[in-house]
Amino acid sequence: MQSFVQTTHPTNDAPRKPGTRALVISLLVIILLAAGSLAAILLASLPKDRDCVAYIYQSGVLIKTIDLNAVTEPYTITLTDADGGTNTIEVRQGSIGIIDASCPDQICVHTGFITDGSIPIVCLPHELTIEIKASTEDAYDSVAK
């Protein structure tokens, strides 16, 4: 008598582990969300096509208003406070910044150039503040109307 032994051979149709498909779909969703978030951040950082005006205050008093889009050549302004402290401001098309100050901490200089209303430049020792605001009435600032 012959005896037949049936052997099984591995095939490519082996069942997948449970949850593999769900894991792949989850990873694809996470990748798509990350790409969408990156695209939104990049779009938000693009320059805006709106008119921006710099307002310079010293001791709480508005002393100068500058339309940054109207600047054709960079120039500097040196301001002196009541105690003799100085700040040198450089104005460029679309941006403004303090490039030199006689204050000890130099925070205003390290702030760099600003191009929008997201943060002001402040020199506390000289009571100087520079802010940028949109010149149009219907533009939104950092707080929604």
Side-chain angles (χ1 to χ4, degrees):
M1 259 212 228
Q2 274 186 333
S3 166
F4 290 101
V5 177
Q6 185 175 8
T7 60
T8 58
H9 297 286
T11 63
N12 290 337
D13 296 332
R16 293 183 181 172
K17 293 182 183 177
T20 303
R21 183 174 181 175
L23 179 63
V24 169
I25 290 172
S26 298
L27 288 174
L28 287 174
V29 168
I30 290 171
I31 290 170
L32 288 174
L33 287 174
S37 298
L38 181 61
I41 290 170
L42 290 175
L43 286 175
S45 67
L46 291 175
K48 311 292 186 279
D49 289 337
R50 61 181 186 181
D51 297 331
C52 290
V53 177
Y55 296 88
I56 302 174
Y57 299 89
Q58 192 154 33
S59 301
V61 177
L62 178 64
I63 59 170
K64 193 149 184 76
T65 303
I66 303 167
D67 180 357
L68 296 177
N69 290 335
V71 175
T72 56
E73 293 289 325
Y75 62 92
T76 59
I77 303 167
T78 300
L79 300 176
T80 305
D81 71 358
D83 297 329
T86 61
N87 292 87
T88 302
I89 301 167
E90 184 172 329
V91 180
R92 301 176 183 167
Q93 184 175 21
S95 67
I96 189 167
I98 297 177
I99 58 171
D100 187 46
S102 62
C103 58
D105 57 14
Q106 300 288 300
I107 292 173
C108 55
V109 176
H110 295 302
T111 301
F113 284 79
I114 58 174
T115 59
D116 59 27
S118 59
I119 60 167
I121 299 174
V122 178
C123 181
L124 287 177
H126 300 153
E127 299 179 13
L128 179 72
T129 303
I130 302 172
E131 296 177 329
I132 294 180
K133 298 178 186 174
S135 65
T136 56
E137 289 295 324
D138 61 342
Y140 293 100
D141 60 5
S142 60
V143 178
K145 292 182 180 181

